[in-house]
Amino acid sequence: MTDTPAPRAHPPGWYADPMGSPRQRWWDGTRWTDELHDPAAHDVARNEGARPDPGLHRPALEVNGVLAPPALGPTTAVYNPLIWAIAVLPVLTLIASSAVDLTAQMQMVLDETGAPLSPEEVTSNLVSFSVYAATIVFAFFDRRALLQLGVTKPFHWAWAILWSGAYVFGRSVIVRRRTGRGMAPAWVWLGIFVVSLVSSVSRMSDAVNTVFPNGSVPT
């Protein structure tokens, strides 16, 4: 059996076959073995009331006392509080930024006044940083949760450093490929992003119209 790369942090157990078959392959903690398990065939036998032959099925169902988990599929619990938190955290940023007076900010820039940050601006900055940090932490543990489910090569948490949307969509696409579902957090995140974008454009437009009435620009 070839030593196909796999995360060495994984404990021995049954995981989705990295060779691409619909069965599960036994990872002994250091390498992939030749032991394969077909959960679908086992479920059919169980549902039909057949009693598996211990001598025939034991090598495929149990290794070192560890039973194979259910196969990845539409019933796999791919949604957890971590990914939902990452998807909805931008709501906090939206709420905090909505309290900032853009008209006053724009006017101060035009007047070239060096006024200190308002409490609303300070709060908005703190909330934005907290959401960013929490997103990275949640993405790290969310990826670990997916690995424990047996999802092979889930989307890397480090993408959250670049943008929360990158992780949510990347994670959702990979999970959907592995299990047949998993896009819901991505659509929730996208909906919040669109609302935030529309809100920001609307508020900026109102501020510009207030500072520059009738389109007049001071000289």
Side-chain angles (χ1 to χ4, degrees), residues 169-192:
F169 268 89
R171 186 255 199 207
S172 298
V173 170
I174 295 298
V175 168
R176 188 176 188 280
R177 289 177 180 174
R178 302 287 192 272
T179 68
R181 69 191 188 107
M183 292 298 298
W187 302 136
V188 170
W189 183 94
L190 181 61
I192 295 173

Side-chain angles (χ1 to χ4, degrees), residues 17-30:
D17 187 4
M19 306 302 175
S21 78
R23 295 179 292 179
Q24 294 176 328
R25 188 175 296 276
W26 180 258
W27 169 256
D28 66 6
T30 58

Side-chain angles (χ1 to χ4, degrees), residues 89-90 92-102 105 108 115-134 203:
L89 274 176
L92 299 180
T93 304
L94 172 62
I95 294 174
S97 62
S98 297
V100 177
D101 189 344
L102 295 182
Q105 281 188 327
M108 283 191 298
L117 294 177
S118 66
E120 292 79 10
E121 291 175 285
V122 173
T123 300
S124 179
N125 291 339
L126 289 175
V127 169
S128 296
F129 177 78
S130 299
V131 167
Y132 174 73
R203 293 177 62 242

Side-chain angles (χ1 to χ4, degrees), residues 112-151:
E112 298 182 353
T113 58
L117 294 177
S118 66
E120 292 79 10
E121 291 175 285
V122 173
T123 300
S124 179
N125 291 339
L126 289 175
V127 169
S128 296
F129 177 78
S130 299
V131 167
Y132 174 73
T135 296
I136 296 174
V137 174
F138 291 166
F140 174 81
F141 286 105
D142 174 63
R143 185 174 189 272
R144 290 185 60 179
L146 292 178
L147 288 170
Q148 292 174 358
L149 282 177
V151 177

